[in-house]
Amino acid sequence: MSAAIPKRPARTGAVAAALIGVAGAAYLVFHLGFPAVINAALSVGWAGFALLCLYGLANFTLLGLAWLVLVPPYTGVRATTFAWGRAVRDSAGDVLPFSQFGGMVIGARAAMLRGISGSTAFGSTIVDITLEMIAQIVFIFASLTILTLQLPDAGQTPLVKVTTVGVGVAAILATFFVAVQRRGFALLQRVARRLLPVAETHAGDLDRVVNDIHMHPMRLAAGFALHLLGWLSAGFGTWLALAMIGHPLPFVSVVAIEGLLCAARSAAIFIPAAIGVQEAGYAVMMPLFGLPAEIGIAVSLLKRAREVALAVPVLLSWQIAEGRSALHPRERTWQGSP
């Protein structure tokens, strides 16, 4: 079974969106002052950059545990598998020329390459994404609250108003997504039975996995809590980068910045890695807290560099695993182990 890759029109659109984002990011860098941005980004040094990369690896582990907690047993080998699968998911979404949806599929595929059944990999991914979305909504709401408390006038800006509306829409979508998982898979199974009997079997496997996860509320609560911690960890990464370039902010202020940036990135889900959107978001948000816009761009460049530094070995390991799988195919890839 080969990795699922988006169709040509989708890839073409994603590449076009990425090129537009790159152009926008380049414009911001040069408009704000290329030397100032680059000097700020380079000021962390190799030791500081290595620390940012270690933080990234820790975050992969945390998010992998949030995924694993949904589907026991909990062993060291499975923890490594799900952490690696999550690293592949995020790395593909961060650097490959297609949207986050492609990364989600590849991450599940990576778990399958290490012996996790297709139904478990994809079914748990569906629930994991839902919990991450709900945790993100809570995180963004908290960031809006912090922003309005620290900067009352900012609550009247278009960015905050649009984000507030977006949180409401996202909450509705999350509710709908949960309802589909609880009730909609039966409809999917009936449709699949009519169109393709083999697909119906797989839809039934997904249905069983998703329903089993939803029957264990403690697993769902643990997954939600770990994802909320993961969003706070994203704020910590930005706080750490700001501290290392000599422009520290209180952690709660960074949470406000990161929450609104999360909302902007979510709105740009079809733009690979939210290129340009992330840079513009930091450039807009940093001045609200007294920092120049070029510092925001520098932080964004540091995060991009860290993502690439981690993604290259992660994606190479995934390709090696795919090559081994092609040479030694499993007879029952979909079923595999739980």
Side-chain angles (χ1 to χ4, degrees):
M1 180 178 177
S2 60
I5 302 296
K7 295 182 179 179
R8 185 178 298 274
R11 289 205 303 268
T12 301
V15 170
L19 291 175
I20 293 171
V22 169
Y27 169 78
L28 285 170
V29 169
F30 285 96
H31 177 71
L32 294 171
F34 181 78
V37 172
I38 296 303
N39 287 337
L42 294 178
S43 65
V44 300
W46 287 110
F49 186 69
L51 182 59
L52 287 174
C53 289
L54 286 175
Y55 150 78
L57 291 174
N59 209 42
F60 285 152
T61 302
L62 174 63
L63 297 177
L65 292 176
W67 185 11
L68 169 64
V69 76
L70 302 176
V71 281
Y74 310 129
T75 65
V77 172
R78 284 171 66 87
T80 302
T81 294
F82 280 87
W84 180 66
R86 179 62 198 229
V88 171
R89 182 201 302 183
D90 287 353
S91 297
D94 286 337
V95 303
L96 295 183
F98 39 81
S99 74
Q100 296 175 34
F101 291 118
M104 295 170 188
V105 174
I106 290 175
R109 168 63 183 166
M112 292 173 63
L113 291 172
R114 291 181 62 98
I116 303 300
S117 70
S119 56
T120 298
F122 282 96
S124 60
T125 295
I126 290 169
V127 182
D128 183 59
I129 292 168
T130 305
L131 293 175
E132 187 168 15
M133 180 181 180
I134 296 171
Q136 184 186 39
I137 292 170
V138 174
F139 180 66
I140 295 172
F141 180 79
S143 73
L144 286 171
T145 302
I146 292 170
L147 185 65
T148 53
L149 288 175
Q150 290 193 341
L151 304 169
D153 293 340
Q156 302 303 316
T157 61
L159 176 62
V160 174
K161 290 181 179 179
V162 170
T163 302
T164 303
V165 173
V167 169
V169 173
I172 294 172
L173 291 175
T175 302
F176 174 75
F177 200 20
V178 171
V180 168
Q181 290 176 40
R182 298 297 295 271
R183 302 179 184 276
F185 272 77
L187 174 62
L188 174 63
Q189 191 172 356
R190 288 197 295 270
V191 172
R193 186 185 298 117
R194 288 177 176 272
L195 297 178
L196 187 63
V198 174
E200 186 271 334
T201 300
H202 290 175
D205 291 337
L206 284 175
D207 188 22
R208 285 188 288 274
V209 170
V210 172
N211 281 333
D212 180 67
I213 294 173
H214 279 281
M215 289 176 62
H216 295 83
M218 292 303 296
R219 296 182 194 172
L220 296 173
F224 167 79
L226 288 170
H227 273 303
L228 187 56
L229 185 59
W231 287 115
L232 290 171
S233 174
F236 174 79
T238 302
W239 175 86
L240 181 62
L242 284 169
M244 288 194 299
I245 63 177
H247 290 80
L249 281 178
F251 182 69
V252 290
S253 298
V254 176
V255 168
I257 293 171
E258 200 65 28
L260 266 69
L261 184 66
C262 285
R265 286 180 63 103
S266 296
I269 191 171
F270 293 104
I271 299 177
I275 297 176
V277 176
Q278 175 174 295
E279 287 69 24
Y282 278 126
V284 170
M285 290 298 298
M286 290 297 177
L288 295 178
F289 293 90
L291 296 182
E294 56 263 29
I295 294 302
I297 302 296
V299 168
S300 182
L301 291 180
L302 277 173
K303 294 179 73 171
R304 299 284 188 198
R306 183 203 70 207
E307 289 166 358
V308 172
L310 293 177
V312 170
V314 167
L315 293 178
L316 281 176
S317 70
W318 164 58
Q319 284 297 295
I320 291 171
E322 287 284 1
R324 289 176 176 172
S325 177
L327 291 174
H328 306 286
R330 297 169 182 261
E331 295 183 2
R332 294 169 64 93
T333 305
W334 183 264
Q335 286 77 14
S337 63

